[in-house]
Amino acid sequence: MKEIERCEMMEITGGGVSITGAMIEALSGVIQTIFGIGQALGGAIRRISSDKLCKF
């Protein structure tokens, strides 16, 4: 394997991380899921603490 000199390393471009639409969509889905779970859990805690549960 050929060793790269410092001046050659400075000329290399690219390889950076770019944010794509798919990444943003995936992150949005995760945030919406966490938010939905928080709403459901908060509602359950509120109903349990106020003793307003449906009787089966």
Side-chain angles (χ1 to χ4, degrees):
M1 181 173 0
K2 180 184 172 192
E3 192 169 318
I4 300 175
E5 295 181 16
R6 182 176 176 90
C7 62
E8 291 175 325
M9 283 195 273
M10 299 299 274
E11 294 174 1
I12 297 174
T13 59
V17 177
S18 60
I19 297 175
T20 62
M23 290 174 61
I24 293 172
E25 186 68 28
L27 183 62
S28 171
V30 168
I31 291 172
Q32 287 178 354
T33 301
I34 292 172
F35 184 72
I37 290 171
Q39 280 185 323
L41 189 60
I45 291 171
R46 182 176 41 83
R47 285 189 314 233
I48 289 171
S49 66
S50 64
D51 200 28
K52 294 186 177 184
L53 295 174
C54 298
K55 305 296 181 204
F56 287 110

